[in-house]
Amino acid sequence: MGTGKEYYVEPVEEGYSVKSLGAKRASAILPTQKKAIEKALELNPDLKPHVARVRHTKAGHPDQFEKK
C-alpha cells in the first residue's frame, strides 16, 4: 500500500530528489534518475511519479514534468 501522495523526481546537485507535492524536504536523494523513479514507485506504487525533463525532446523541454 502506498502513501497516497504524488511524488516528483527532480535533478539536484547531489543527484535526483524524490519529493511529495508541497513538501519542503525531499523524501530521498538518489544518484540516478532511474533509482529516484524506482524509489517514488516504492513510496506510492498506485501513482506514476512526475519526472522533470532534463533534456530537449519532441515531447518537451527542461522545466516540464512528465509521468513515468
Side-chain angles (χ1 to χ4, degrees):
M1 177 182 255
T3 61
K5 297 178 182 178
E6 284 189 55
Y7 287 93
Y8 289 80
V9 173
E10 301 178 275
V12 293
E13 272 187 43
E14 302 87 3
Y16 289 85
S17 71
V18 178
K19 191 188 252 189
S20 64
L21 182 62
K24 293 182 180 182
R25 295 184 329 158
S27 299
I29 296 177
L30 296 145
T32 67
Q33 186 182 53
K34 181 179 179 180
K35 287 183 181 189
I37 292 169
E38 289 170 355
K39 181 64 174 179
L41 288 170
E42 178 185 312
L43 292 168
N44 190 358
D46 300 328
L47 286 176
K48 293 182 177 181
H50 299 273
V51 180
R53 295 182 187 277
V54 294
R55 59 191 169 131
H56 291 274
T57 67
K58 292 178 186 174
H61 54 82
D63 300 327
Q64 289 184 316
F65 286 90
E66 63 179 327
K67 283 208 169 192
K68 286 285 185 181

